[in-house]
Amino acid sequence: EILSYVHILIEPELILSSAGIAYSHEDNPDEALRILDSINVHYNTPDYHLLKAEIYEYKGDLSKKDAELDRYW
């Protein structure tokens, strides 16, 4: 499992997919947010904010969800 997270640092195009896997398949939204936050410094795309908004909604944190949607728009 740790190798999959190291792998995403080598291939940035896999970052959103890996965070999505941590969120949806592993039911670990906090790990997905950690992955996204750690890579945002080097790789930022609008999809990043949409995925974070979805994760925050899942966690029930609607204020953070709205903040991420504002960053997207």
Side-chain angles (χ1 to χ4, degrees):
E1 182 174 313
I2 200 74
L3 290 177
S4 65
Y5 296 127
V6 170
H7 184 71
I8 65 169
L9 298 176
I10 297 168
E11 295 189 41
E13 64 273 7
L14 299 176
I15 292 168
L16 292 175
S17 297
S18 297
I21 289 168
Y23 163 53
S24 62
H25 296 295
E26 296 177 9
D27 192 29
N28 193 344
D30 293 326
E31 179 64 8
L33 290 169
R34 186 196 67 75
I35 292 168
L36 290 170
D37 288 340
S38 70
I39 55 87
N40 187 41
V41 174
H42 303 290
Y43 180 79
N44 194 354
T45 177
D47 294 343
Y48 165 87
H49 298 291
L50 287 177
L51 181 55
K52 282 188 76 173
E54 182 180 331
I55 294 169
Y56 281 125
E57 181 178 37
Y58 174 79
K59 290 181 63 162
D61 192 336
L62 299 183
S63 64
K64 286 185 179 179
K65 171 199 168 201
D66 291 342
E68 290 301 329
L69 288 176
D70 287 343
R71 288 182 184 105
Y72 173 75
W73 300 114

